[in-house]
Amino acid sequence: MRGIKLPKMGLGTKPFVRGITELGDGAYCWLAPDGSWGWSNAGLITSGDASMVVDTLFDLALTADMLEAMKVVAPATARHVDVLVNTHANGDHCHGNELVPTNRIIASVAAAAEMDELPPAALAALMSTVDKDETHLGRYLRHCFDAFTFSGIAHTPPTETFSGRRQVQVGDKAVELIEVGPAHTLGDVLVYVPDDHVVFTGDILFIEGTPIMWAGPVQNWIDACDLIANLDVEAVVPGHGPVTDAAGARAVRDYWTFLRDESRLRFDAGMSVRDAARDIDLGAFADWGEAERVFLNVNTLYREFGSTDIVEDVFGLFSGMGELWDIDTD
Ligand SMILES: [Zn+2]
């Protein structure tokens, strides 16, 4: 092959396989197909023996597997990780915190507060209530979360918090933490590594899966997609799904502008959340996984529009999504 210049493989075409993928120059991601509920990605940034881990996984066994794989590519992480960053408060990005050998965990102020409100024990308790529940709610929650073990996880909150932007040194690399929430959750943060031309987006990006907007406002999410699309990066690592590039950020942006406008039309026409979620023809977005999240997304948009007739509790939200999922799978 000497003398033949191989075409540079587009990072958007990196295979979506479980495990560590090298992004070049000491940056790695952990990918977890199929990217649906709880199957989240994570990151590792190294410079010499210094390291930063971006997010842990949904339970201890998954996180232990990931840390073992990280030791293979970065042996120093077996003894010490300089810093762990949690991109947001959802358990599939922080439940494994206790296993990382570090004394430094960073998240946004808003994400840290949200973690305290929903500790791992709360999810374990939620699942125990629907053990044999054959309603939409029970069936759907088991479909989403039965593969994970939420008992015995020690709530391990951040040791440092920030708002806005924060720069963290990892060996020779200056890593930028950029708060873009509230959007997906109350305290979403991007982890941008200019030296590596990589950004870890947390759940601001779901690729080939439907994004889910717990918090909003939607404009923050749209702005975050624009920010990502305009970064000088070669690899964009989403919270769920395969590695992408600016096109992935634009696709998520397109979902939100479409859903915002379609929801607004139905809100103005006096349609309920449930009816609007069924009435909207998702078109090309219907091919993305977890399309039933449209129920929760319309609900969050209606709240933003000032509706008083919305679902406020987590049981109602999962029940509404479960009803759409049951229709799809029956
Ligand atoms: Zn997630």
Side-chain angles (χ1 to χ4, degrees):
M1 299 298 285
R2 187 184 293 267
I4 298 176
K5 195 159 190 287
L6 291 169
K8 191 169 178 241
M9 189 174 163
L11 282 157
T13 59
K14 274 197 183 294
F16 187 35
V17 291
R18 184 177 190 273
I20 295 278
T21 292
E22 187 168 9
L23 303 170
D25 200 25
Y28 307 84
C29 60
W30 170 270
L31 300 178
D34 61 359
S36 63
W37 286 103
W39 297 105
S40 47
N41 301 330
L44 172 66
I45 301 147
T46 65
S47 172
D49 279 350
S51 61
M52 171 187 281
V53 170
V54 181
D55 282 341
T56 57
L57 304 179
F58 213 1
D59 68 18
L60 298 180
L62 286 172
T63 303
D65 272 0
M66 176 180 81
L67 293 173
E68 280 302 315
M70 287 180 172
K71 287 175 198 171
V72 174
V73 295
T77 62
R79 297 183 306 281
H80 180 68
V81 168
D82 290 83
V83 58
L84 165 64
V85 174
N86 293 128
T87 58
H88 63 290
N90 286 164
D92 54 330
H93 301 265
C94 64
H95 273 178
N97 280 6
E98 66 185 280
L99 297 183
V100 179
T102 189
N103 49 17
R104 198 172 175 209
I105 305 175
I106 305 181
S108 68
V109 170
E114 204 175 7
M115 276 182 216
D116 287 341
E117 269 181 33
L118 203 74
L123 204 43
L126 174 73
M127 290 307 289
S128 70
T129 64
V130 295
D131 197 18
K132 293 189 171 57
D133 181 344
E134 282 305 324
T135 63
H136 296 304
L137 173 70
R139 285 158 50 96
Y140 188 57
L141 277 173
R142 286 199 299 280
H143 159 70
C144 295
F145 301 131
D146 244 4
F148 310 101
T149 303
F150 302 125
S151 56
I153 297 173
H155 179 43
T156 308
T159 61
E160 291 174 41
T161 56
F162 74 100
S163 294
R165 289 192 182 224
R166 168 95 180 259
Q167 200 175 78
V168 179
Q169 201 67 27
V170 179
D172 293 335
K173 298 177 184 175
V175 177
E176 290 183 34
L177 311 183
I178 306 169
E179 186 178 26
V180 293
H184 166 64
T185 62
L186 293 176
D188 307 294
V189 168
L190 311 176
V191 179
Y192 172 41
V193 197
D195 290 332
D196 294 342
H197 301 281
V198 170
V199 62
F200 299 90
T201 71
D203 284 0
I204 290 299
L205 296 186
F206 291 72
I207 300 302
E208 296 172 12
T210 303
I212 184 163
M213 186 162 66
W214 296 101
V218 69
Q219 190 59 47
N220 279 358
W221 200 322
I222 291 168
D223 292 345
C225 290
D226 285 338
L227 193 161
I228 294 164
N230 289 317
L231 287 175
D232 176 21
V233 290
E234 288 168 8
V236 175
V237 182
H240 296 257
V243 176
T244 186
D245 53 23
R250 284 194 289 268
V252 173
R253 182 194 206 284
D254 288 347
Y255 176 87
W256 287 122
T257 55
F258 166 81
L259 199 67
R260 176 197 63 196
D261 294 348
E262 293 293 316
S263 299
R264 182 79 215 192
L265 285 172
R266 287 161 181 82
F267 171 75
D268 289 343
M271 207 179 274
S272 70
V273 168
R274 184 168 176 273
D275 289 346
R278 286 157 177 256
D279 191 54
I280 293 170
D281 179 354
L282 289 170
F285 301 118
D287 293 341
W288 288 2
E290 300 77 55
E292 67 276 8
R293 289 174 178 165
V294 70
F295 175 85
L296 186 147
N297 291 338
V298 170
N299 190 71
T300 303
L301 286 162
Y302 267 46
R303 185 173 65 210
E304 203 174 312
F305 300 153
S307 173
T308 51
D309 186 21
I310 55 166
V311 178
E312 297 281 6
D313 67 298
V314 71
F315 290 100
L317 292 170
F318 274 96
S319 185
M321 290 186 281
E323 195 180 343
L324 288 180
W325 174 73
D326 268 342
I327 291 167
D328 263 8
T329 52
D330 279 351

